[in-house]
Amino acid sequence: MTDTYGYARVSTKEQKEDRQLMALCKMQVPKKNIYTDQQSGKDFDRPMYRRLLKRLKEDDVLYIQSIDRLGRNYEEILEQWRVLTREKKVDIVVLDMPLLDTRRGKDLMGTFLSDVVLQVLSFVAENERKNIRQRQREGIEAAKLRGVQFGRPRKPLPDNFELIYRRWESGEISGRKAAELCGMPVTSFCRIVEEWKEEEQKMA
């Protein structure tokens, strides 16, 4: 007996898969047969996808809204497509790309066209993933140049820090004592001292 399944994926918990679920429901995929992952598409090590893969059997139909919901890694998308269609012998329907419907064109030409379209779209999906990462890196670098700090915000320095710093610098007190007077670990005091020295050199 042929069963229909659906697969949806979002990259983070903050994103919503509502649009994908609505598209799958329109295809009358039973809710119990819809599997959803909240995980990056860089690989296929996803719990719900793995569970879906175990349930699929020959002649079942798998619906996905778009090829990038299946994944974003070019080589792995092609490998999973091969596993699904040739090993599991499952039909795949990509809803936003009618050419990627393995129920149609079972002849040699139909298979050839489907494979070509798949390779092009898989390449585009991976290329977009790389572009996103590049844009993120460029955005972070630009933000750093503007003075934006990333990570946990630093605690404000105590009011007496400069006085203690000068006492330490003149050798009046040890680094351990200076850190104690500032109420911070020795490592933090040393790090901040190095930053102060760099700032003083820039202003000299």
Side-chain angles (χ1 to χ4, degrees):
M1 180 179 177
T2 299
D3 290 315
T4 58
Y5 291 87
Y7 180 71
R9 182 186 64 80
V10 289
S11 298
T12 66
K13 293 181 179 180
E14 289 72 29
Q15 294 177 328
K16 301 297 182 184
E17 63 272 17
D18 296 357
R19 191 167 59 90
Q20 297 177 63
L21 297 180
M22 287 177 62
L24 295 174
C25 287
K26 285 182 179 179
M27 303 309 297
Q28 299 183 337
V29 179
K31 288 186 178 180
K32 65 182 179 66
N33 287 354
I34 296 177
Y35 291 76
T36 304
D37 277 310
Q38 294 177 332
Q39 195 169 331
S40 167
K42 65 180 181 179
D43 58 45
F44 284 84
D45 188 17
R46 311 174 210 142
M48 298 307 290
Y49 179 80
R50 290 298 178 189
R51 191 176 299 180
L52 167 65
L53 203 59
K54 289 179 180 178
R55 284 199 61 186
L56 289 168
K57 63 184 185 302
E58 186 174 348
D59 294 331
D60 282 347
V61 180
L62 173 62
Y63 290 92
I64 55 175
Q65 186 181 34
S66 59
I67 194 66
D68 64 349
R69 297 305 87 198
L70 185 62
R72 287 188 177 275
N73 182 294
Y74 174 64
E75 292 182 354
E76 292 202 13
I77 292 174
L78 297 179
E79 173 60 18
Q80 286 301 309
W81 190 276
R82 185 191 65 78
V83 169
L84 290 166
T85 59
R86 299 181 186 177
E87 292 185 13
K88 305 285 288 186
K89 297 182 179 179
V90 171
D91 278 313
I92 306 177
V93 180
V94 180
L95 296 177
D96 69 352
M97 182 56 62
L99 283 174
L100 289 180
D101 182 345
T102 60
R103 298 172 303 177
R104 304 174 182 174
K106 293 285 188 179
D107 58 6
L108 183 61
M109 181 56 71
T111 301
F112 172 75
L113 288 174
S114 180
D115 286 348
V116 169
V117 173
L118 172 65
Q119 291 194 40
V120 171
L121 292 179
S122 300
F123 173 78
V124 169
E126 183 180 18
N127 198 50
E128 177 60 18
R129 179 175 66 91
K130 291 179 179 178
N131 287 339
I132 290 172
R133 291 175 62 186
Q134 179 63 27
R135 289 195 293 269
Q136 288 174 337
R137 285 194 295 267
E138 291 172 354
I140 291 172
E141 289 302 318
K144 286 180 177 179
L145 291 175
R146 296 196 304 270
V148 177
Q149 294 185 349
F150 295 88
R152 295 175 60 184
R154 293 181 181 177
K155 294 181 179 180
L157 296 177
D159 295 336
N160 63 344
F161 179 81
E162 186 171 4
L163 176 61
I164 295 171
Y165 167 66
R166 297 304 175 192
R167 290 177 65 190
W168 168 81
E169 189 178 37
S170 65
E172 183 182 341
I173 57 176
S174 67
R176 186 175 299 277
K177 183 63 176 178
E180 181 184 332
L181 291 172
C182 289
M184 63 178 64
V186 176
T187 53
S188 298
F189 178 78
C190 292
R191 174 178 54 77
I192 295 171
V193 163
E194 289 301 317
E195 293 175 356
W196 270 60
K197 286 181 179 180
E198 290 181 6
E199 289 300 320
E200 288 182 336
Q201 289 174 359
K202 291 177 182 178
M203 296 174 64

